[in-house]
């Protein structure tokens, strides 16, 4: 009998993370859903459990090292050491370059703490056991903003470029260890994060929310928002395969697999 994988999905209460959690539960993994809002994770976990899956909700603030340590201790005690990690939790706050109100440092520090250091710290905490087991998969939900720039989100772009840089270095260093790291880079996704951007654009420009959504979709090369379910399928395929160094760009059309760095 094969032992089911134990998957930790951060930011799994809603949006992309919830879709990934559902996809991994569907293929029999024990899924840990982690985010700051325990009630959201618990609702999603409950829905998975009612479908017969094993799912646990835990409180986690990836921007806080003490919260990471406490959440991982709870996970290890409850279900064991995760061999699949999906670093999905993230924030995106828009602001012009050099805001005049002096908020830049806080903005950059917050994005780096959550989108980069959070993902890095959780991976570092799980890596020793993965290395001993000579098996582990880490998939980071980065962004097309980790591959190129976008206006008014320099802090977000910087944090996602940092995450991509870390994943590229980690993949080289882990080569041959059995532990593999891959990155998924979606363009605009149909998720609550994009809903918030739509509301902000509508409020700032006087456009309707529907017009604002169409504008964001038109920024994607496919002209369509990416579906969270498509991201979830790609994440599952990466976790189930030899994926070290893989980078998959999703723009609403067919996935684009970038050449793996060697
Ligand atoms: N939406 C897009 O267009 C898009 C495009 C490319 C990449 N992405 C990336 O995809 C990931 C998921 O995005 P999404 O669109 O699904 O966003 P979302 O709908 O806003 O969901 C974000 C998730 O992350 C969690 N989260 C945020 N800060 C956290 C923290 N400090 N600690 C733990 N969990 C935290 C949230 O829960 P709590 O608030 O309860 O903690 C929530 O579960 C993010 O990394 C995002 O950058 C999104």
């Amino acid at each position: 009998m094969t032992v089911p994988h134990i998957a930790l999905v951060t930011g799994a209460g809603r949006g992309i993370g919830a879709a990934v959690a559902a996809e991994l539960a569907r293929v029999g993994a024990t899924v840990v859903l982690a985010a700051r809002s325990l009630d959201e994770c618990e609702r999603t976990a409950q829905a998975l459990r009612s479908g017969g899956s094993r799912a646990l909700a835990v409180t986690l603030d990836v921007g806080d090292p003490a919260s990471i340590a406490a959440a991982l201790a709870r996970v290890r005690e409850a279900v064991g050491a995760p061999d699949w990690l999906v670093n999905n939790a993230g924030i995106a706050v828009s602001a012009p370059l050099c805001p005049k109100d002096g908020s830049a440092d806080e903005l950059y520090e917050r994005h780096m703490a959550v989108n980069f250091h959070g993902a890095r710290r959780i991976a570092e905490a799980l890596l020793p056991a993965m290395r001993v087991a000579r098996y582990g998969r880490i998939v980071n939900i980065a962004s097309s903003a980790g591959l190129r720039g976008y206006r008014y989100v320099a802090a977000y772009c910087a944090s996602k470029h940092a995450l991509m840089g870390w994943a590229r270095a980690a993949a080289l260093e882990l080569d041959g260890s059995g532990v593999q790291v891959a990155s998924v880079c979606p363009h605009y996704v149909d998720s609550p994060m994009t809903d918030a951007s739509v509301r902000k654009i509508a409020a700032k420009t006087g456009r309707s929310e529907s017009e604002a959504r169409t504008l964001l979709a038109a920024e994607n090369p496919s002209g369509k928002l990416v579906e969270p379910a498509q991201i979830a399928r790609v994440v599952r395929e990466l976790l189930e395969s030899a994926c070290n160094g893989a980078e998959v760009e999703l723009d609403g059309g067919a996935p684009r697999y970038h050449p793996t760095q060697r």
Side-chain angles (χ1 to χ4, degrees):
M1 201 181 84
T2 52
V3 181
H5 292 285
I6 300 172
L8 171 59
V9 184
T10 67
R14 58 178 186 265
I16 298 166
V20 169
E23 176 74 10
L24 303 187
R26 192 182 66 71
V27 296
T30 298
V31 185
V32 180
L33 301 91
R36 291 169 301 178
S37 322
L38 183 61
D39 52 342
E40 240 180 19
C41 287
E42 187 48 51
R43 269 198 302 279
T44 311
Q46 180 54 46
L48 299 180
R49 285 195 296 268
S50 63
S53 300
R54 287 172 300 273
L56 170 75
V58 298
T59 312
L60 168 68
D61 179 350
V62 301
D64 173 3
S67 172
I68 293 175
L72 292 183
R74 161 102 180 89
V75 171
R76 288 185 183 111
E77 183 193 284
V79 295
D83 58 348
W84 284 358
L85 167 63
V86 182
N87 273 320
N88 166 77
I91 54 165
V93 181
S94 60
L97 278 180
C98 321
K100 291 192 182 61
D101 61 3
S103 60
D105 283 353
E106 194 275 332
L107 188 74
Y108 278 82
E109 278 160 18
R110 191 147 47 105
H111 279 84
M112 292 301 287
V114 174
N115 295 352
F116 171 55
H117 292 298
R120 172 188 66 77
R121 285 188 178 119
I122 297 174
E124 284 175 357
L126 297 184
L127 269 169
M130 289 178 172
R131 277 181 143 142
V132 168
R134 295 199 60 78
Y135 178 83
R137 295 286 181 271
I138 298 168
V139 175
N140 293 333
I141 308 299
S143 170
S144 54
L147 300 171
R148 51 160 281 190
Y150 287 88
R151 289 180 189 85
Y152 303 115
V153 282
Y156 180 71
C157 288
S159 66
K160 292 294 187 176
H161 273 73
L163 187 59
M164 291 299 293
W166 182 88
R168 287 169 181 166
L172 291 176
E173 204 167 320
L174 291 167
D175 191 32
S177 72
V179 184
Q180 306 195 354
V181 180
S183 306
V184 177
C185 299
H187 289 244
Y188 286 109
V189 179
D190 189 2
S191 76
M193 181 182 276
T194 298
D195 296 342
S197 303
V198 162
R199 286 193 293 275
K200 195 165 178 181
I201 292 168
K204 280 216 169 224
T205 63
R207 290 183 164 93
S208 71
E209 289 192 9
S210 153
E211 285 167 337
R213 186 174 294 277
T214 304
L215 270 182
L216 290 186
E219 287 233 13
N220 283 3
S222 74
K224 290 183 296 190
L225 294 178
V226 186
E227 287 301 325
Q230 186 195 27
I231 301 173
R233 282 194 300 277
V234 168
V235 169
R236 192 250 309 148
E237 283 164 14
L238 289 167
L239 290 168
E240 288 181 335
S241 63
C243 67
N244 203 30
E247 295 178 5
V248 188
E249 187 176 354
L250 291 165
D251 75 354
R256 266 185 282 163
Y257 294 83
H258 292 210
T260 303
Q261 170 191 252
R262 281 276 173 258

